[in-house]
Amino acid sequence: MSNKKEQGLSRRSMIKGVLAGGAAAAAGVSRTSLADTTDIPPSQFDVAVIGAGLSGLAAALELSNQGKSVIILEARNRVGGRVFSFNSPGPFKSLTVDGGAEFIGDPQLRMMELTQRYDITPIPTLNEGRNIYYRRSRPAPFNAQGPFGAVPIDYGVFQLAIAQEALRAESKRFPVGQPWLHPHAERYDRMTFERWIIKHMVSSSARNLMRLFCSSLLSVHPSEVSALFMFHYVASAGHENLNGSPEALSNVEATLNGANIGGAQQYIVEGGSQQFAWALLQEFLTGMTSRPPGQHRYDESVLPDFDYNDERYFEGVPGTALQLQSPVRKVEHHLDTNSYTIHSDNKHVSAQQVVIALPPALIKNVEFYPPLPPGRMQLHDRMPMGAIAKTMTYYATPFWREQGLTGQVISDLSGDSGPIDVIYDNSPLPSAEQPDPPGVLIGFISGPAMRELDNLTNQVNAEQNGSGAFYQQVRQRCIQSLVKYFGEEAGEDYVVDFAFNRWDDEIWSRGGPTGIAVPGTITGYWQQHLRQPLGNLYWAGTETSDYWAGYMEGAVRAGIRAAQEALG
C-alpha cells in the first residue's frame, strides 16, 4: 500500500452474524458466536494489533506508516485502554476529567513529543504551597518546596533519605530493560520489597513512608512485589540519557545537579489524557495530526459515524481499520502458511503477523493454538494487576488554595481516615466558557483499602449506579477522607459533584495501574518471555517497556518497539 495517506473516513459493511448474549453481554458488549462466522472467509491484513490502548495504537501507526495493512481489534467500545477521560456527570458537564492514567512529565520523551505533534496542552500540576501528610490520625502540612521536596518532615525522614539514596545508587548502575543482568538479580528477585524496607529502615515512620511510595505507584503492598521489580521501576523513570530516581518517579518535580528535570506528576492534560489515544487513532486512519474541524479536543468525533455505526467497524485510508466491541478469543497459527487467524466476537482476521498489546494478566484469557510455551503462560499468572480506583470530588472553588495548600496529600490511612491515600489538585484553569471553574480533587484508593471496598459488593459496575448502596457507601467514605485531610469545608454539604472509577471490576483491565512482578518472576521468565517475539507474535503493552513501564510513556515506547521488531 502507498505510504501517502488521504483525508476522510469510510464505513464498510461488516460480517453479519446472529447476536447472542453471554459473558460478553455482561461486560457491555454484544457477542457474535464464533460458530456463526466460521464459514465466512476472514478479512486479510498484513498485521493484526490486539488492543487499542496507547501501545496498540502506537504500534499500528508505526506499522501503517511503513506500508503495512493493519487492523486493530479492541474489546471495549472505545480506544485508550487504561487511559479514559469523561465529562463531569453533574453540573460541570463541559469539564473533562481523567478516570485512568493522567500525568505526564518532561522525562517522558515520547509523551512530550505527542503533545507537540497533536497540539495537546500540558498544564503544570500545582506544586506551590504546602502538602499534607496524614499520619497517626492527624494532618501535618509541610512545604512542598522544602528541603525534602514531596517527602514530609518527619521523625523517620533521615532514614528514608538514606534508603532513597540506596535506591538512587541502584538506579545509576541498573541494567534498565534487562533487570535479570543485575549482579544480584537472583537475590533481589527472591526478596519482597517489604523485606528490603525492613532491612534498610528501623523507624516505623520511615517504613510507612516507603510503603506509601510503593502503594502509590503500584497499588499493592510491598510484600506483594519483587524487590528487583521495584528497583527496575525506579531505574526506568528516565530515558536513555537520564537515570531514573525515586523523585522523578513519584514527584511533581525532580532535580539533577540543581536543575529541575521534571517528574512523573509534572503535568495534567487540558481536555484529558485520552486525547492521545483518539489523536493516534485519527493519524492512523487518516494521516491527519490536527483536531477535527470545530473541535477543541480529540474525542470520538475523529470517527464521524461513531454514534450510529452499530457494527463498530471503521475503515480509514486503504489498509487501515478498527474493530471495536470485539474481544479476541483465539489466535490460531497455521504452520503450513506461517499465518494467523484471529477470532474475535465480531470479526475474523487473517494476518501474517500479530502484535499483542494487552497486559499479561489479560493475555491468559486468549486461547492460542498451538498453545504458548509453558513459561510464557506461567508469566501471565505471575504479573497480576494492582487494586485501584480513582475518585473525582468537585467543589464550587478550590478552597484549599486559600489555605496555602497544593491539594496534594499522602496518608497512612490511620484511624478513621477513609480509603483515599493519595490526592492531587485537578482543578481546571479559568477559560472563556468557565471563568470561575470549580475545584476538583482526584483521589486514589489502592491495595488493601481498595480490596476492602471491593468486598462490599459482588456486582460488576456497581459504582455506576449513583443511587445504589455501593456507590453511596464509597462516596461517604471518600468524602470522610477529604474532611479528615482538609477540614469541614470538604464535607458533604459543600460537595457539588462526585465521580468514582473502579478499575478492579473493569473486565478488560482487571485492575491497575500496571501488572507487577511477584518474587521470582523476572529471573525466571522475563528474559525468555516478556517481550521476546514468538515466531510472528510480538508483545507490546506498557508492562513490556524498558523505560517508564506502567505509564503512558511506557505504553507508547513498547508499541513502537514491537512494531519495529515486526518490521525487521
Side-chain angles (χ1 to χ4, degrees), residues 58-82:
L61 178 59
E62 184 81 2
L63 290 161
S64 177
N65 284 342
Q66 297 303 315
K68 297 287 187 179
S69 60
V70 183
I71 184 171
I72 307 172
L73 298 165
E74 168 58 40
R76 297 177 176 87
N77 192 30
R78 61 173 179 83
V79 299
R82 284 166 274 175

Side-chain angles (χ1 to χ4, degrees), residues 140-331:
F142 66 96
N143 187 359
Q145 303 294 328
F148 300 102
V151 178
I153 304 297
D154 188 73
Y155 175 75
V157 72
F158 296 105
Q159 282 190 22
L160 180 69
I162 293 171
Q164 283 189 322
E165 183 56 39
L167 286 176
R168 200 175 296 110
E170 288 286 356
S171 297
K172 290 180 180 179
R173 59 178 183 267
F174 202 93
V176 175
Q178 298 177 300
W180 54 86
L181 296 179
H182 189 284
H184 304 296
E186 291 282 352
R187 176 160 62 93
Y188 284 146
D189 200 30
R190 288 195 300 267
M191 180 188 299
T192 66
F193 190 55
E194 172 70 5
R195 182 179 169 193
W196 185 90
I197 290 172
I198 293 172
K199 181 178 179 180
H200 285 78
M201 286 167 278
V202 176
S203 161
S204 62
S205 299
R207 289 176 176 177
N208 284 335
L209 284 168
M210 189 60 82
R211 288 170 183 139
L212 273 171
F213 171 74
C214 176
S215 64
S216 67
L217 296 173
L218 303 176
S219 295
V220 297
H221 190 273
S223 62
E224 301 175 55
V225 65
S226 154
L228 185 64
F229 178 85
M230 197 68 194
F231 296 161
H232 183 258
Y233 209 73
V234 173
S236 71
H239 49 74
E240 288 79 0
N241 299 313
L242 176 69
N243 293 323
S245 69
E247 296 81 10
L249 190 62
S250 62
N251 292 0
V252 173
E253 298 176 356
T255 58
L256 179 65
N257 300 326
N260 181 16
I261 59 172
Q265 278 71 239
Q266 187 175 1
Y267 305 111
I268 59 175
V269 175
E270 184 178 26
S273 292
Q274 196 179 359
Q275 288 187 95
F276 291 116
W278 291 114
L280 284 165
L281 175 65
Q282 177 182 270
E283 185 177 359
F284 167 66
L285 291 173
T286 71
M288 296 173 60
T289 58
S290 57
R291 296 182 186 86
Q295 298 292 321
H296 68 282
R297 61 187 294 270
Y298 296 93
D299 55 23
E300 64 273 11
S301 63
V302 307
L303 300 171
D305 57 347
F306 181 84
D307 289 333
Y308 54 85
N309 183 338
D310 295 335
E311 298 148 347
R312 315 315 292 152
Y313 181 72
F314 306 87
E315 279 195 328
V317 297
T320 63
L322 166 72
Q323 176 69 66
L324 294 175
Q325 212 164 334
S326 192
V328 169
R329 307 295 180 177
K330 182 177 181 179
V331 176

